[in-house]
Amino acid sequence: MAFKEYGDYDAVDLAELVRKKEVSAKELLDEAIARTAKVDPQINAVVVKHYEYAERQIEHGLPDGPFTGVPFLLKDLDLLEGTRTTSGATVLKDFVADHTGTLARRFLGTGVSIFGKSSSPEFGLMPTTESRLFGPTRNPWNLEHSCGGSSGGAAAAVAARILPVAHASDGGGSIRIPASASGVFGLKPTRARNPLGPDRGEGWGGFSCGHVVSISVRDSAVMMDAIHGPESSSPYFAPPPERPFSQEVGRDPGELRISFTDKSPYGDAIDPEIAAAVREIASLLAGLGHHVEERAPALAADPAAVMTTIVSGNTALTVRLIEQRLGREMTDNDLEVLTLAHSRNATRTSATDYVAAQLAAFQISRSLAIFFESCDVFLCPTLCAPPLRIGELNTMSNDLSHVAPILRRYMPGTSMFNMSGQPAMSVPLAWNKAGLPLGMMFSAKFGDEATLFRLAGQLEQVRPWKNKLPPVRA
């Protein structure tokens, strides 16, 4: 039986319907599967489908959690025992996980039914989702454009209303970039707020973290309540919240000190419609009673240079582990040219270079900490250009010289908050004349997701986005 109103509900609402027995978990799963069949041939967001896994979950009895019965997707980088996990890589196209990651276990504990995996670029390396293995994931607002990356499949699936909330992860902007490009809400939590084990204590030198993208702010907050906190092997953990994050949504944010900029951190010119949107939102915030001033942090080092060294080193280790497991050297038949280039770049980098990059990341972190001594929130564009066109970034090109200039133009401001570990969110508050979403990024002090949830809840009330739907939707 089709549940026609499914797309009107966020995940909290769907779980409440299940709790009241107004709809069953199986009916919700069937609706998500039907919506996938309808819209995924156009957007290519659900690249691993394991419907039988979710059906078995329901048959065996879902745990009683805040999202019991809600369909859910894992990003195709995380492990779920007995299911295919490719990381977007040809060489791993048949890999089946032999255990479940800590974060995935916590998602399962919320009561969700995990019916598949959302697309990611190979190893999550790009801010667009166009792996050689699965092909491009397209933006539901315009199929000629990217949905962002690396959590592109998650954001596209949520935007197209296949489901209201999906797993996402962020090592340099990979929650916020696709949230912006796809017109959904995405918050990157404080470093170590959510666990990354059991196979690793941190990702990309402490830059990476996992959470969700969602239709509503409260879905993000309720999910964080359910999954946050260290595990026994965590090397460090985030400051505990004063109260549940879900209680922050709808709470008066008070008069916040908000700094903003409509410029790239490099001082480069940005898309004029995006700059105008930032100024419009700054005026909106002032009208809501916040103290708003135009001011931006001066960074002590170049975030792009730091990312290159840290990401290359981590990618090289991934490649080495695959080679050790398979007993042979990787070629471009196995991995994309860009992935192999990252790995080769690391062989030309010394251990001293890696430590220097970590020191530069700390210097960036310290400059941001000093900046936030005189403000509560910093507003800037999530992306400094509209969503990229499909094919604009080519990870299989023998000439990769186009990549760095595009990244500098497109997403120069996201990675610094991975380096500082501060929470940052992309809020879908603007669209350009072509109908493409333009997310606004808000960041706060280390450990202060509470302020972001309060502000996001306020913005969701005064400038709602839930009913703004893309042309391609289920």
Side-chain angles (χ1 to χ4, degrees):
M1 181 179 67
F3 178 21
K4 294 180 181 178
E5 297 83 15
Y6 172 98
D8 298 333
Y9 293 90
D10 69 0
V12 170
D13 276 337
L14 289 180
E16 182 63 17
L17 292 176
V18 173
R19 200 167 290 114
K20 291 179 177 178
K21 302 188 184 304
E22 294 181 21
V23 68
S24 70
K26 182 62 165 61
E27 287 173 321
L28 292 186
L29 175 61
D30 288 345
E31 181 66 21
I33 291 172
R35 285 169 173 256
T36 302
K38 176 184 175 182
V39 77
D40 202 52
Q42 297 176 77
I43 62 173
N44 190 33
V46 187
V47 291
V48 177
K49 301 173 177 68
H50 43 70
Y51 301 153
E52 70 289 342
Y53 184 97
E55 290 166 353
R56 286 197 303 270
Q57 282 185 269
I58 294 170
E59 288 169 7
H60 295 159
L62 295 167
D64 184 16
F67 296 111
T68 298
V70 176
F72 194 72
L73 292 170
L74 275 186
K75 185 176 177 180
D76 189 25
L77 294 178
D78 271 39
L79 300 176
L80 185 66
E81 185 178 2
T83 67
R84 194 160 63 109
T85 303
T86 76
S87 299
T90 303
V91 72
L92 298 177
K93 63 184 176 62
D94 297 318
F95 174 73
V96 175
D98 61 2
H99 64 284
T100 298
T102 303
L103 191 60
R105 287 203 304 270
R106 293 193 182 179
F107 285 136
L108 289 169
T110 71
V112 296
S113 61
I114 303 178
F115 67 97
K117 296 197 179 70
S118 62
S119 54
S120 165
E122 190 165 276
F123 301 131
L125 292 174
M126 283 285 100
T128 182
T129 303
E130 304 175 48
S131 72
R132 175 176 57 172
L133 176 60
F134 292 116
T137 300
R138 297 179 181 274
N139 195 317
W141 295 92
N142 185 320
L143 296 176
E144 297 304 311
H145 288 261
S146 168
C147 57
S150 64
S151 306
V158 170
R161 299 304 191 263
I162 289 175
L163 74 173
V165 63
H167 168 228
S169 58
D170 192 315
S174 291
I175 289 175
R176 292 157 289 155
I177 292 165
S180 176
S182 301
V184 298
F185 179 77
L187 184 144
K188 179 199 83 70
T190 296
R191 175 180 292 134
R193 176 69 69 199
N194 297 334
L196 289 170
D199 302 303
R200 56 181 182 162
E202 62 178 15
W204 284 7
F207 297 173
S208 184
C209 56
H211 190 44
V212 295
V213 289
S214 58
I215 294 171
S216 71
V217 176
R218 71 173 179 173
D219 278 356
S220 183
V222 171
M223 184 63 83
M224 197 176 295
D225 282 335
I227 65 174
H228 82 86
E231 56 188 320
S232 58
S233 58
S234 295
Y236 40 73
F237 54 89
E242 181 180 346
R243 63 182 68 85
F245 295 111
S246 55
Q247 293 182 15
E248 305 295 354
V249 183
R251 195 181 187 92
D252 184 359
E255 182 181 341
L256 297 174
R257 300 170 300 164
I258 300 177
S259 298
F260 82 94
T261 185
D262 63 355
K263 297 177 176 59
S264 161
Y266 295 108
D268 301 337
I270 74 169
D271 177 85
E273 285 188 271
I274 295 175
V278 173
R279 289 191 169 275
E280 181 191 356
I281 298 306
S283 296
L284 172 66
L285 292 165
L288 291 171
H290 301 296
H291 176 72
V292 179
E293 67 170 334
E294 186 170 3
R295 188 173 67 99
L299 300 181
D302 179 7
V306 173
M307 288 297 295
T308 298
T309 301
I310 299 295
V311 173
S312 291
N314 280 268
T315 303
L317 176 59
T318 298
V319 172
R320 177 197 291 178
L321 293 174
I322 294 172
E323 289 177 336
Q324 289 174 347
R325 188 167 68 216
L326 298 181
R328 61 181 178 82
E329 186 176 343
M330 291 294 97
T331 71
D332 58 13
N333 290 321
D334 303 302
L335 298 172
E336 295 173 9
V337 172
L338 182 131
T339 302
L340 293 171
H342 268 299
S343 183
R344 287 193 295 270
N345 183 61
T347 65
R348 296 190 290 269
T349 303
S350 69
T352 306
D353 295 328
Y354 192 91
V355 175
Q358 288 186 310
L359 177 59
F362 167 75
Q363 292 167 336
I364 289 170
S365 177
R366 181 168 176 79
S367 62
L368 287 168
I370 293 170
F371 177 81
F372 276 87
E373 288 176 356
S374 56
C375 74
D376 303 304
V377 172
F378 177 53
L379 161 66
C380 64
T382 309
L383 300 171
C384 290
L388 297 174
R389 287 190 170 274
I390 296 294
E392 197 169 340
L393 275 174
N394 182 2
T395 58
M396 283 301 296
S397 172
N398 289 322
D399 181 4
L400 296 171
S401 61
H402 69 291
V403 173
I406 291 175
L407 300 187
R408 178 182 173 115
R409 170 176 61 86
Y410 187 50
M411 35 80 72
T414 54
S415 66
M416 58 184 171
F417 297 110
N418 297 86
M419 295 170 196
S420 68
Q422 293 169 246
M425 63 184 181
S426 182
V427 187
L429 296 175
W431 275 256
N432 67 11
K433 292 176 183 176
L436 290 166
L438 308 174
M440 298 293 110
M441 185 164 68
F442 299 85
S443 49
K445 296 174 184 176
F446 190 91
D448 193 16
E449 289 95 333
T451 291
L452 294 183
F453 278 129
R454 288 196 294 268
L455 179 60
Q458 183 184 50
L459 290 168
E460 189 177 31
Q461 288 296 312
V462 301
R463 195 155 173 148
W465 57 80
K466 180 181 174 184
N467 295 325
K468 193 169 180 63
L469 300 171
V472 180
R473 61 183 184 274

